[in-house]
Amino acid sequence: MMPLTLPSGTGMRARHFTPMVLALALAGTALVVHTVGKWMNYTRAPSGWSESADRVPVRLGPVGLKVPANLMRRVEERIAGGPVERLSLAVLWPSMDGYSEFNARLFADSGDHSPVMLISVTAAGALPEMNTSERLERVWMSLGSGEPLPGPAGLALLPLPGDAESGTGFVAHRAENGTLFAARCFTPRDAALAASCERSIRLAPDLFVTYRFRQALLDHWRDMDAAVTGLIASLKPEAAS
């Protein structure tokens, strides 16, 4: 699948915009700038991968995990273990395998069809952050700059307002079997930068997970949540033993 470029927003405001929605629009613009910066660094390699499958004990708030070193992106987390504010992982789609000499070429792929999926795990706070499905319902539906367009594998693509000089943003979404999938995506205008998407989910009640992937993988959206949830479950001590 080629990266998706949607029409730029018309600049027209929704009929019933309130000051609260205007404030959300400003916050949304700031989020676009922040997110674009993260996506531009999508494949920036850490200072060194590990091939070791030995498990490193890590604690995220009240949750203890045992994480194979070759899944961990940050050297300091692999060496020290213990309490961390954020656990940064990298795996290959669809195998969810970590780094090895055999697949090093795939981990180095920075193109639009890279199979690398980046996963960030944090402890859920007392006031949980909205995941992308909740943000679609509460914020993005009001901020959308046009009617949803047809996307891959039955998804609808909701264009978002933003800086057209940087690229185009949209939310890929679909409700199916009682579950709403929503991923925020961005297509940079600079052809040297890859088009990526980001989705966040809450693993109740303790963990908040965000995963980033190439737009070319949107065809597989039905399988992604289960794969990520299964990976995190496999890191819990009772699963690792």
Side-chain angles (χ1 to χ4, degrees):
M1 189 190 82
M2 296 298 293
L4 301 169
T5 302
L6 302 185
S8 300
T10 63
M12 297 178 63
R13 297 180 180 177
R15 181 179 301 172
H16 302 295
F17 264 16
T18 64
M20 180 179 295
V21 174
L22 291 175
L24 289 171
L26 293 174
T29 300
L31 180 61
V32 168
V33 174
H34 175 67
T35 303
V36 170
K38 290 195 299 182
W39 281 331
M40 286 180 178
N41 292 324
Y42 183 96
T43 54
R44 181 171 295 174
S47 56
W49 297 100
S50 172
E51 289 190 84
S52 174
D54 292 344
R55 290 180 176 258
V56 179
V58 171
R59 180 159 291 276
L60 286 165
V63 181
L65 302 173
K66 290 186 175 180
V67 187
N70 66 341
L71 300 185
M72 302 173 75
R73 296 183 66 224
R74 301 190 182 280
V75 175
E76 59 270 24
E77 292 176 5
R78 294 200 300 264
I79 294 175
V84 296
E85 292 185 2
R86 179 184 303 272
L87 179 62
S88 300
L89 309 177
V91 296
L92 297 178
W93 179 264
S95 67
M96 308 302 280
D97 289 338
Y99 179 83
S100 69
E101 184 178 355
F102 176 77
N103 62 30
R105 179 182 59 82
L106 295 175
F107 272 85
D109 185 352
S110 60
D112 277 315
H113 294 273
S114 170
V116 177
M117 177 181 284
L118 304 184
I119 304 172
S120 295
V121 189
T122 59
L127 296 174
E129 179 182 354
M130 284 189 289
N131 63 35
T132 46
S133 295
E134 295 164 338
R135 194 173 293 275
L136 172 66
E137 295 178 317
R138 301 179 191 179
V139 181
W140 290 329
M141 282 297 189
S142 297
L143 299 181
S145 60
E147 291 298 318
L149 303 173
L155 290 169
L157 309 180
L158 176 67
L160 293 177
D163 180 7
E165 294 299 317
S166 299
T168 56
F170 62 91
V171 181
H173 64 93
R174 176 166 176 148
E176 190 170 272
N177 299 323
T179 299
L180 174 61
F181 175 92
R184 182 166 189 157
C185 302
F186 186 77
T187 304
R189 188 164 296 279
D190 185 345
L193 301 175
S196 299
C197 298
E198 178 176 289
R199 171 158 168 77
S200 57
I201 55 177
R202 188 176 295 107
L203 301 185
D206 300 315
L207 297 177
F208 193 85
V209 179
T210 299
Y211 61 90
R212 304 207 306 276
F213 56 94
R214 293 293 191 248
Q215 279 184 32
L217 299 180
L218 276 173
D219 286 319
H220 306 283
W221 66 270
R222 289 183 176 87
D223 302 318
M224 287 184 170
D225 280 3
V228 171
T229 300
L231 175 69
I232 303 304
S234 74
L235 306 182
K236 295 184 176 180
E238 58 270 21
S241 59

